Amino acid sequence: MRALTALQVAAALAVGVRLARGRDRLPALTPVTTPDARISVVIPARDEEGRIGPCLEAALADPVVAEVVVVDDDSSDGTARLAGNLGAKVVTGAPLPAGWVGKQWALRQGVEAAGGDIVVTLDADTRPAAGLFGALAAALDGYDLVSVGPRFVCDGAAEQALHASFLATLVYRFGPVGPPIPPPPHRVVTNGQCMAFRRPAMLAADGFARVRGHMADDVALGRILAADGWSVGFLDAGGLLEVDMHASTAEVWREWGRTLPLSDATRPGWQVADLAVVWLTTALPVVRLATGRPTRLDLGLLAVRLLLAGALRGSYTRPGPGVLLAPLLDPLTAARLTQATLRPIRNWRGRTYGGVTTGRSGRPAPPARNGAR
């Protein structure tokens, strides 16, 4: 028991240091409508006919956007037709090469097809507000790669509670969005739902090829580029971007639980440390409270967790009671992260992928140069 208590104290101290960074975090992005740059928006899409419309309409309506490029990744529905009818430039994706995950292959093709100096990549389920693209372009004055934290659309108390419980694990492991001091490359966090970069630099780095086999491609990309010397920013764009990620509680459990362990972008030692933090500071106090045997440290950790739950209300477009009830689900969330870490899930949208191919350095091996550009 003494060993467990010592570990819990160490985990609590680590969490305290990370949460304390929130006092100095960078301010949220504000709208910018007159950027001095040509901006291309690139959206990878596979069977997105049912939800890509609002994203396209918002991007196409923004006067600072020069073009919207939709890369149709072998869709079986009317994604390409809808995108073309709305006014996007549609790129028919080439067949998926061996060793690639579909999203990275689509993004690489989209960046090559884009004509703007600055590229903003969006997922089809995002809802950008006016001024987002200009704000991202302005942020690139201080960074080489920018990604942002949005506000989430979650309907129903159960879906919102589970989502908020998963979201809390990110804060406990990496701290709040908008860190004032960039973390070391191996602890960089990025959000692939919305990223911005300068097109020539990304083409030169061939970043998407270097993470071609990753399921946690966004974090892997940020960490590899940060190790190359890129300045990587993770900023708050909650007032300018909404994301409707999942249609049900079951989908939150299946899909977000699949990606949040970041197992193919994180060293094994850090995976163990991150899981230990989640179990010791979120799950264990709830379990002990439920059994009537909480320690003083458990009660303190529960108080901190409730404070975080209140703070995370701002991460949702329509926060309800589910956000405050989220701590009750922390043991389930810890179990899901552990399961997905030990048995990574490598399927998405009807495709099953093999493992990541790495070179001697432990990074993804560089692609063969074949003049594809």
Side-chain angles (χ1 to χ4, degrees):
M1 288 297 294
R2 289 183 179 178
L4 181 60
T5 300
L7 289 172
Q8 190 178 32
V9 169
L13 289 174
V15 168
V17 170
R18 291 165 187 169
L19 294 180
R21 298 174 192 153
R23 294 176 300 182
D24 301 317
R25 69 193 190 110
L26 299 175
L29 293 179
T30 55
V32 176
T33 57
T34 56
D36 185 20
R38 176 179 168 84
I39 300 173
S40 295
V41 176
V42 173
I43 305 173
R46 178 174 168 85
D47 295 333
E48 298 285 7
E49 182 182 14
R51 59 180 184 174
I52 197 174
C55 177
L56 282 174
E57 290 169 354
L60 288 163
D62 196 314
V64 307
V65 174
E67 62 177 355
V68 177
V69 179
V70 174
V71 183
D72 181 44
D73 182 19
D74 196 26
S75 296
S76 60
D77 62 5
T79 296
R81 180 178 62 255
L82 173 64
N85 289 341
L86 289 175
K89 174 183 176 180
V90 178
V91 174
T92 301
L96 184 67
W100 283 77
V101 172
K103 183 177 181 180
Q104 289 91 285
W105 179 234
L107 284 169
R108 191 192 196 209
Q109 295 174 84
V111 172
E112 290 175 344
D117 304 314
I118 288 174
V119 172
V120 175
T121 67
L122 288 178
D123 281 0
D125 54 10
T126 57
R127 308 288 182 264
L132 170 68
F133 302 110
L136 290 169
L140 287 174
D141 289 340
Y143 298 98
D144 300 305
L145 175 70
V146 172
S147 73
V148 299
R151 284 200 182 115
F152 298 100
V153 178
C154 287
D155 297 320
E159 180 184 342
Q160 199 168 88
L162 183 60
H163 190 282
S165 181
F166 277 126
L167 183 60
T169 71
L170 285 174
V171 180
Y172 270 56
R173 288 181 285 165
F174 303 106
V177 64
I181 300 174
H186 68 280
R187 298 298 284 173
V188 162
V189 176
T190 52
N191 175 22
Q193 294 167 330
C194 178
M195 296 192 299
F197 46 82
R198 293 176 180 82
R199 179 174 177 270
M202 185 60 76
L203 289 175
D206 208 3
F208 294 111
R210 294 170 67 186
V211 297
R212 63 192 183 278
H214 285 266
M215 300 303 290
D217 58 287
D218 48 0
V219 174
L221 177 67
R223 292 178 178 180
I224 286 175
L225 294 178
D228 285 351
W230 284 43
S231 176
V232 179
F234 184 32
L235 307 178
D236 181 1
L240 298 176
L241 183 68
E242 294 182 357
V243 178
D244 190 357
M245 295 172 61
H246 305 114
S248 66
T249 305
E251 194 171 313
V252 173
W253 175 266
R254 183 178 66 250
E255 302 301 344
W256 222 27
R258 172 182 62 86
T259 58
L260 282 190
L262 310 179
S263 55
D264 64 359
T266 305
R267 300 169 186 169
W270 276 106
Q271 291 181 45
V272 172
D274 287 341
L275 284 175
V277 163
V278 171
W279 275 105
L280 293 169
T281 63
T282 67
L284 182 60
V286 174
V287 171
R288 283 179 170 166
L289 182 66
T291 59
R293 301 176 61 184
T295 66
R296 290 183 180 179
L297 180 55
D298 290 328
L299 294 175
L301 287 168
L302 287 168
V304 171
R305 181 67 182 86
L306 288 173
L307 289 173
L308 178 62
L312 288 180
R313 286 177 58 83
S315 298
Y316 295 88
T317 56
R318 295 183 293 274
V323 180
L324 298 179
L325 294 173
L328 299 177
L329 300 182
D330 286 352
L332 287 176
T333 297
R336 175 59 173 150
L337 292 179
T338 303
Q339 176 194 39
T341 299
L342 296 175
R343 299 183 62 184
I345 301 169
R346 297 192 59 81
N347 54 68
W348 176 245
R349 293 293 175 91
R351 289 172 173 156
T352 299
Y353 301 102
V356 178
T357 301
T358 58
R360 293 182 181 178
S361 66
R363 298 181 187 177
R369 297 292 179 179
N370 56 11
R373 260 194 221 145

